[in-house]
């Protein structure tokens, strides 16, 4: 045992005291921390939460999407003859806009939506919304804050569009690479539609480049170099192959600089130009065998002889942008000589005030003429012809004025004859008229003046031979101002001259003056000048009724211009418009107004293909030689916005949120008969992109986002996206078909709509061909 002294043993009390002091310090720190935590929990956090809730709620209130609310319809007038137009800010049409980084600026646009893509929860929001845009008005003054918010949302949405392209492209590359099309339901390739020339692959090249899918683009370039051949015996459409394949190769070359694309384009163009060889008048045949060069008309054409050329005017007038680009890049003008000569042939046709029949044919004496069996329309079979009138002028750096003159004349007549308002929906539409209603107009430009003593003499004699002269005097009371005085009626009676041509009463003031025709204005007029009949200083306040008697002392009216109440029982008592673009839109604001053309041959069905007109009119307005502030440009821009709203409603009004191929403007919100299917068409989103590029109005992005969500929900398949059979049914499966333009146009325009950094400049640097391939403007 070890003995310890007292010194060796520490006092227990001292050690205990030190430990107690340490423990007390720790406890005191813990107590102070608990007090701080209680303060944070019971005071700071609640106050912070309340403030955050208030600030967040206010911000959400300002920026949330009020999609289900119906806006009040604008009460402003549509009239293109109005002395003033709605004011709006014209934003610079460059790829970037200098924004003021000031969050204190209140956004004026109330419809900003989310960038979340939830297909399972998404339901189409329905039509008849955003009605303040219906008449082409500008209801909100878009400011810098609106553009900043729109760009922020767009950058997130853009990624969803790119993901859709990646998904569809993966299906094509894994199941049908190099085929003309993919069947998206079964995943099988369609190699025979264009003879196996990889139409989808070529058509999508610039889409891959624009979406920065460079790896996929490089693989496609290598495949084209190693495998693409146009030596196919299958007959293909000259028009479709030009806009899809030739346009796709040229665009890919201009963006990437890879010479393989230019070499393939030269090979293809040389083969396509052989479609002109057998033509006696310089118009290409519609189909060609790319291997042998043998060409012929399309199978559905009605030519009497195989040597005759007849077909659609769009197929002849929509080749020039592509061949012109090839000629420019190869320094070989021969590539564009024959297509340009064909366009000049179309320009020389004798047409009705700038509107062309969709059908052309060759007469027995070898002359080209417009078919009287065709249709005057801005829809399918004619659409791209009018489009290229403007774009050829833009591509040539605005130097070839003959193209712009053709465009301006056609748009003027479109406003006069085809633009109308649906009586059932009050939506503005561009209708169409069959050429048979123009036969008498083309042969006899205006109805002769009925009070001329030699007018329709033979008809009058036949009428009297049938006993018409034995009518009672009272029968003339409604027509003849001299009847009640018992004086002989030396006027031609309206009943003697039935209206054989329903549009015969319309003026066409751009035509030369005939001194024997007292109905014409003296000397015609120049483009862009207002026209009032018989030297009127102002347009008349009331419509004319052609069944009323002529007042010889009233020099401000043409024949039958008395202002009397029309007879409700007479089908002749229709309002008479000597200059429709000055009068008709005003009256059509009244839903009870009877459109004089609805019973005179104007079809109120509007095709989805016509929806490109919104973008074309806006582009034409912003490049108008008279300036964007001119009356003509403002009219065209307003029409562009109204037509684009109608095209958006074609989607929104359907239960699926998808648009039908054609819309019934006469009988209400429904597809036209037999046209309820959706083909993944791009025309509406094309107009949305162009209008947003030019105006920076965020509404076009919101509409485009709705359309994309509906495509995702109802058209997506295991291997891509398919067409839809009936847009009024929500429980159908997509078709096993996808056109190449879905890759080349629909997805591209949707992506560009939300792209805030695109290099494409449609005002100064680029022109889209009709297949959405951006090509350079000629600068020298």
């Amino acid at each position: 045992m070890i003995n310890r002294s007292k010194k060796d043993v520490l006092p227990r009390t001292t050690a205990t005291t030190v430990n107690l002091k340490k423990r007390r310090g720790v406890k005191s720190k813990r107590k102070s921390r608990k007090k701080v935590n209680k303060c944070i929990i019971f005071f700071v956090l609640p106050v912070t939460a309340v403030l955050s809730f208030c600030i967040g709620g206010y911000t959400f209130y300002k920026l949330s999407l009020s999609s289900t609310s119906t806006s009040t319809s604008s009460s402003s007038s549509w009239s293109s003859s109005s002395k003033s137009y709605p004011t709006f800010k014209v934003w610079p049409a460059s790829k970037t806009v200098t924004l003021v980084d000031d969050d204190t600026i209140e956004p004026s646009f109330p419809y900003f939506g989310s960038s979340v893509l939830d297909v399972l929860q998404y339901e189409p929001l329905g039509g008849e919304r955003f009605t303040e845009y219906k008449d082409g008005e500008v209801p909100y003054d878009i400011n810098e804050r609106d553009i900043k918010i729109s760009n922020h949302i767009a950058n997130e949405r853009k990624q969803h569009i790119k993901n859709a392209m990646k998904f569809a492209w993966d299906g094509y590359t894994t199941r049908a690479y190099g085929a003309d099309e993919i069947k998206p339901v079964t995943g099988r390739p369609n190699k025979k539609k264009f003879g196996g020339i990889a139409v989808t692959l070529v058509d999508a090249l610039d889409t891959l480049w624009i979406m920065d899918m460079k790896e996929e683009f490089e693989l496609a370039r290598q495949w084209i170099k190693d495998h693409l051949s146009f030596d196919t015996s299958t007959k293909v459409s000259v028009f479709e192959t030009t806009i899809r394949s030739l346009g796709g190769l040229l665009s890919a070359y201009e963006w990437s600089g890879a010479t393989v694309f230019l070499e393939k384009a030269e090979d293809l163009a040389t083969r396509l130009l052989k479609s002109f060889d057998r033509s006696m008048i310089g118009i290409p045949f519609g189909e060609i065998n790319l291997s042998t060069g043998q060409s012929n008309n399309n199978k559905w054409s009605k030519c009497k002889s195989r040597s005759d050329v007849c077909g659609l005017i769009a197929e002849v007038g929509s080749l020039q942008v592509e061949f012109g680009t090839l000629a420019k890049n190869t320094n070989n003008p021969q590539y564009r000589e024959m297509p340009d000569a064909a366009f000049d042939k179309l320009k020389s046709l004798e047409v009705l005030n700038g509107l062309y029949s969709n059908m052309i044919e060759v007469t027995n004496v070898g002359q080209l003429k417009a078919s009287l069996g065709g249709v005057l329309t801005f829809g399918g079979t004619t659409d791209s012809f009018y489009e290229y009138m403007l774009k050829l002028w833009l591509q040539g750096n605005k130097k070839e004025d003959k193209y712009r003159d053709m465009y301006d004349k056609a748009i003027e007549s479109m406003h006069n004859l085809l633009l109308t308002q649906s009586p059932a929906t009050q939506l503005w539409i561009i209708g169409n008229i069959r050429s048979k209603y123009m036969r008498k107009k083309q042969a006899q430009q205006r109805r002769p003046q009925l009070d001329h003593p030699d007018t329709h003499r033979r008809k009058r004699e036949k009428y009297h031979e049938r006993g018409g002269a034995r009518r009672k005097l009272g029968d003339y009371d409604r027509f003849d101002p001299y009847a009640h005085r018992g004086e002989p009626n030396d006027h031609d009676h309206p009943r003697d001259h039935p209206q054989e041509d329903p549009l015969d009463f319309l003026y066409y003031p751009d035509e030369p003056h005939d001194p024997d025709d007292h109905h014409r204005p003296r000397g015609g007029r120049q483009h862009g000048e207002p026209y009032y009949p018989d030297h009127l200083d102002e347009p008349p306040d009331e419509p004319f009724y052609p069944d009323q008697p002529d007042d010889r002392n009233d020099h401000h009216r043409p024949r039958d211009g008395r202002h009397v109440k029309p007879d409700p029982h007479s089908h002749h008592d229709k309002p008479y418009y000597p200059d429709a673009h000055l009068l008709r839109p005003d009256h059509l604001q009244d839903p009870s107004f009877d459109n004089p053309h609805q019973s005179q041959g104007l079809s109120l069905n509007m095709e989805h293909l016509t929806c490109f007109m919104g973008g074309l009119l806006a582009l034409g307005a912003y490049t108008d030689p008279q300036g964007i502030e001119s009356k003509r440009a403002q009219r065209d821009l307003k029409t562009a916005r109204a037509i684009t709203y109608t095209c958006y409603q074609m989607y929104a009004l359907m239960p699926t949120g998808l648009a039908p191929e054609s819309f019934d403007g006469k009988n209400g919100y429904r597809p036209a008969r037999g046209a309820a299917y959706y083909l993944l068409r791009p025309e509406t989103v094309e107009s949305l992109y162009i209008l947003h590029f030019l105006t920076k109005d965020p509404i076009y992005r919101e509409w485009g986002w709705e359309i994309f969500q509906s495509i995702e929900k109802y058209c997506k398949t295991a291997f891509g996206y398919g067409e839809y059979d009936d847009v009024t049914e929500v429980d159908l499966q997509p078709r096993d078909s996808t056109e190449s333009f879905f890759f080349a146009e629909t997805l591209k325009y949707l992506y560009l709509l939300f792209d805030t950094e695109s290099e494409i400049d449609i005002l100064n640097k680029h022109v889209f061909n009709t297949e959405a391939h951006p090509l350079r403007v000629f600068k020298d």
Side-chain angles (χ1 to χ4, degrees):
M1 174 181 255
I2 300 175
N3 293 324
R4 296 183 181 225
S5 64
K6 292 182 179 180
K7 293 181 180 180
D8 297 331
V9 180
L10 292 175
R12 187 170 295 185
T13 54
T14 304
T16 304
T17 303
V18 173
N19 292 334
L20 288 174
K21 287 181 179 179
K22 289 182 179 179
R23 292 172 182 173
R24 287 172 184 170
V26 172
K27 288 182 179 180
S28 62
K29 289 182 180 179
R30 289 177 178 172
K31 289 181 179 180
S32 62
R33 288 177 183 173
K34 288 182 179 179
K35 291 180 180 179
V36 172
N37 291 339
K38 289 181 179 180
C39 179
I40 293 174
I41 293 172
F42 293 105
F43 181 76
V44 177
L45 290 180
V47 172
T48 305
V50 171
L51 291 175
S52 300
F53 179 82
C54 295
I55 296 173
Y58 178 79
T59 305
F60 179 80
Y61 169 75
K62 287 293 183 181
L63 303 182
S64 61
L65 174 65
S66 305
S67 298
T68 56
S69 61
T70 302
S71 303
T72 306
S73 178
S74 174
S75 60
S76 56
S77 174
W78 162 267
S79 174
S80 60
S81 62
S82 175
K83 300 299 182 183
S84 61
Y85 292 89
T87 58
F88 62 96
K89 186 175 293 185
V90 180
W91 291 100
S94 58
K95 65 177 182 178
T96 58
V97 178
T98 303
L99 301 178
V100 178
D101 191 12
D102 186 357
D103 292 341
T104 62
I105 300 177
E106 290 290 332
S108 63
F109 182 74
Y111 297 121
F112 286 116
S114 169
S115 60
V116 176
L117 180 62
D118 188 351
V119 175
L120 296 178
Q121 297 297 324
Y122 172 75
E123 295 293 338
L125 302 175
E128 299 185 88
R129 294 174 293 123
F130 313 106
T131 53
E132 64 267 45
Y133 289 91
K134 176 176 69 69
D135 293 325
E137 301 295 342
V138 184
Y140 307 105
D141 186 15
I142 305 303
N143 58 39
E144 290 85 353
R145 180 71 173 154
D146 293 312
I147 297 178
K148 185 176 180 180
I149 296 171
S150 177
N151 286 345
H152 176 74
I153 299 173
N155 284 328
E156 297 177 353
R157 290 174 173 174
K158 178 180 70 173
Q159 188 59 45
H160 293 298
I161 310 295
K162 184 175 181 178
N163 291 339
M165 177 62 184
K166 285 184 175 181
F167 174 77
W169 193 249
D170 287 344
Y172 175 75
T173 55
T174 57
R175 309 286 295 201
Y177 204 59
D180 289 334
E181 291 178 356
I182 182 176
K183 296 184 177 181
V185 176
T186 60
R188 293 181 298 179
N190 183 355
K191 299 181 179 180
K192 299 299 182 182
K193 187 167 185 179
F194 289 87
I197 56 176
V199 171
T200 292
L201 182 69
V202 174
D203 217 2
L205 285 171
D206 51 10
T207 304
L208 297 173
W209 183 273
I210 289 169
M211 292 190 182
D212 198 27
M213 298 172 63
K214 297 302 189 334
E215 182 178 348
E216 292 86 346
F217 180 88
E218 182 58 29
L219 291 174
R221 184 198 65 80
Q222 191 63 42
W223 190 96
I224 288 173
K225 180 180 179 180
D226 297 338
H227 302 288
L228 181 60
S229 172
F230 297 112
D231 191 18
T232 175
S233 59
T234 301
K235 289 185 178 181
V236 298
S237 166
V238 174
F239 163 70
E240 294 289 353
T241 307
T242 297
I243 65 172
R244 301 191 194 202
S245 297
L246 184 60
L249 289 168
L250 291 170
S251 180
Y253 167 71
E254 290 193 342
W255 284 99
S256 69
T259 57
V260 62
F261 298 128
L262 186 60
E263 294 170 358
K264 294 293 184 180
E266 282 193 90
D267 179 26
L268 177 60
T270 302
R271 297 170 186 269
L272 290 171
L273 286 176
K274 293 181 180 179
S275 61
F276 289 84
D277 290 349
R278 292 179 51 242
S279 173
M280 302 295 294
I281 58 173
I283 300 298
F285 284 89
E287 291 183 345
I288 189 170
N289 184 315
L290 293 177
S291 179
T292 64
Q294 182 181 0
S295 58
N296 55 267
N297 289 305
N298 292 300
K299 297 177 181 178
W300 45 261
S301 65
K302 300 180 180 179
C303 287
K304 298 179 180 179
S305 170
R306 292 185 179 181
S307 61
D308 293 340
V309 178
C310 63
L312 303 175
I313 199 168
E315 294 188 338
V316 178
S318 305
L319 312 173
Q320 292 70 26
V321 169
E322 295 80 5
F323 280 95
T325 299
L326 178 62
K328 184 71 173 178
N329 285 310
T330 59
N331 294 318
N332 186 356
Q334 292 183 352
Y335 282 120
R336 66 176 304 173
E337 288 177 356
M338 287 190 285
D340 285 356
F343 200 95
D344 291 339
K345 282 279 187 180
L346 299 180
K347 181 179 182 297
S348 65
L349 287 175
E350 187 175 331
V351 297
L352 185 65
N353 237 35
L355 295 181
Y356 291 75
S357 170
N358 67 331
M359 301 287 292
I360 55 174
E361 58 187 18
V362 179
T363 64
N364 294 332
V365 295
Q367 294 181 344
L368 185 70
K369 72 171 185 177
S371 172
L372 295 178
V375 178
L376 302 182
T377 177
F378 279 78
T381 68
T382 311
D383 47 0
S384 54
F385 175 54
Y386 293 114
E387 178 185 359
Y388 275 28
M389 291 179 185
L390 177 64
K391 291 186 175 180
L392 284 169
W393 179 70
L394 294 175
Q395 185 187 43
N397 205 15
K398 306 176 184 178
K399 295 179 180 179
E400 300 173 286
D401 291 337
K402 63 180 180 180
Y403 299 124
R404 179 78 204 203
D405 292 342
M406 292 177 68
Y407 170 80
D408 289 333
K409 193 171 184 179
I411 296 305
E412 187 76 15
S413 294
M414 182 274 292
H415 280 92
N416 291 356
L417 293 177
L418 303 182
L419 178 66
T420 188
Q421 195 174 26
S422 166
T425 65
Q426 300 305 301
L427 297 173
W428 291 94
I429 61 175
I430 300 175
N432 57 76
I433 302 176
R434 289 199 171 275
S435 296
K436 67 180 182 180
Y437 291 107
M438 303 298 179
R439 289 180 180 177
K440 190 175 181 180
K441 181 59 61 183
Q442 291 178 331
Q444 182 182 350
Q445 295 295 330
R446 293 174 185 81
R447 174 194 289 181
Q449 188 167 342
L450 296 182
D451 57 1
H452 193 280
D454 294 328
T455 298
H456 288 185
R457 182 184 301 277
R458 183 56 185 158
K459 286 188 176 181
R460 186 168 62 252
E461 291 175 356
K462 287 185 177 181
Y463 183 82
H464 288 288
E465 291 172 2
R466 293 194 301 265
R470 293 191 294 271
R471 291 178 299 186
K472 296 180 180 179
L473 184 63
D475 292 343
Y476 287 86
D477 288 346
R478 187 166 63 89
F479 299 96
D480 193 358
Y482 307 103
H484 68 281
R485 291 183 286 180
E487 299 179 14
N489 179 13
D490 57 356
H491 299 279
D492 255 0
H493 201 285
R495 290 176 180 168
D496 296 353
H497 315 289
Q499 280 191 330
E500 297 181 2
D501 180 7
L503 295 179
D504 205 40
F505 56 83
L506 291 177
Y507 276 128
Y508 297 92
D510 281 340
E511 296 168 3
H513 171 59
D514 182 353
D516 295 327
D517 187 348
H518 304 291
H519 283 287
R520 301 184 185 183
R522 305 298 184 262
R525 64 178 173 122
Q526 298 297 321
H527 261 324
E529 296 181 4
Y531 159 67
Y532 307 120
D534 293 341
H535 306 293
L536 271 177
D537 294 328
E538 294 292 337
D541 295 327
E542 300 178 64
F544 297 130
Y545 294 94
D547 275 351
Q548 307 310 324
D550 171 62
D551 185 350
R552 296 188 176 190
N553 296 322
D554 188 351
H555 303 292
H556 285 187
R557 298 176 187 141
R559 173 73 175 90
D560 300 336
R562 179 170 297 280
H563 291 280
V564 296
K565 185 176 180 180
D567 181 2
H569 302 291
S570 173
H571 68 278
H572 294 293
D573 291 325
K574 299 293 184 183
Y576 172 76
Y577 290 104
D579 212 351
H581 77 278
L582 296 176
L583 297 175
R584 183 154 49 93
D586 269 339
H587 294 281
L588 284 175
Q589 290 289 353
D590 180 5
S592 64
F593 177 71
D594 189 8
N595 180 358
H597 294 327
Q598 288 178 14
S599 59
Q600 308 289 354
L602 181 67
S603 169
L604 297 183
N605 288 351
M606 180 167 166
E607 300 175 57
H608 191 287
L609 288 164
T610 311
C611 289
F612 85 102
M613 282 298 293
L616 187 71
L617 286 167
L619 185 60
Y622 270 78
T623 58
D624 195 311
Q626 299 178 8
I628 183 61
E629 298 295 341
S630 66
K631 184 177 181 180
R632 182 176 69 182
Q634 287 289 288
R635 177 202 64 183
D636 291 353
L637 184 57
K638 193 173 185 181
T639 304
R641 292 191 294 257
I643 292 299
T644 303
Y645 176 82
T646 297
C647 292
Y648 159 70
Q649 288 296 319
M650 289 171 67
Y651 284 81
L653 288 166
M654 299 299 114
T656 57
L658 301 172
E661 182 71 0
S662 183
F663 185 72
D664 188 345
K666 182 178 181 180
N667 299 311
Y669 301 113
R670 65 184 186 185
R673 181 180 299 177
Y677 50 90
Y678 174 61
L679 300 182
L680 299 169
R681 288 203 183 274
E683 289 77 21
T684 297
V685 293
E686 173 186 358
S687 291
L688 295 177
Y689 159 67
I690 294 175
L691 274 164
H692 179 266
F693 181 92
L694 298 173
T695 68
K696 300 298 183 288
D697 192 334
I699 193 62
Y700 302 115
R701 281 177 168 170
E702 299 304 320
W703 295 348
W705 182 243
E706 288 186 24
I707 292 172
F708 173 69
Q709 290 180 93
S710 292
I711 293 174
E712 278 284 313
K713 185 176 181 69
Y714 293 103
C715 298
K716 196 169 186 177
T717 67
F719 303 104
Y721 296 83
E723 300 162 1
Y724 202 79
D725 270 323
D726 190 340
V727 297
T728 64
E729 301 290 339
V730 298
D731 55 354
L732 303 180
Q733 296 299 317
R735 290 179 180 176
D736 197 16
S737 176
T738 303
E739 291 271 5
S740 67
F741 57 66
F742 177 70
F743 298 87
E745 299 186 75
T746 308
L747 289 177
K748 182 188 298 170
Y749 280 131
L750 281 169
Y751 182 85
L752 290 174
L753 176 62
F754 300 107
D755 189 5
T756 60
E757 301 176 350
S758 174
E759 298 179 11
I760 295 176
D761 181 356
I762 59 175
L763 281 182
N764 304 298
K765 298 179 180 179
H766 300 99
V767 169
F768 282 98
N769 84 331
T770 194
E771 189 75 6
H773 296 305
L775 303 168
R776 294 175 187 165
V777 170
F778 305 155
K779 290 299 185 182
D780 53 0

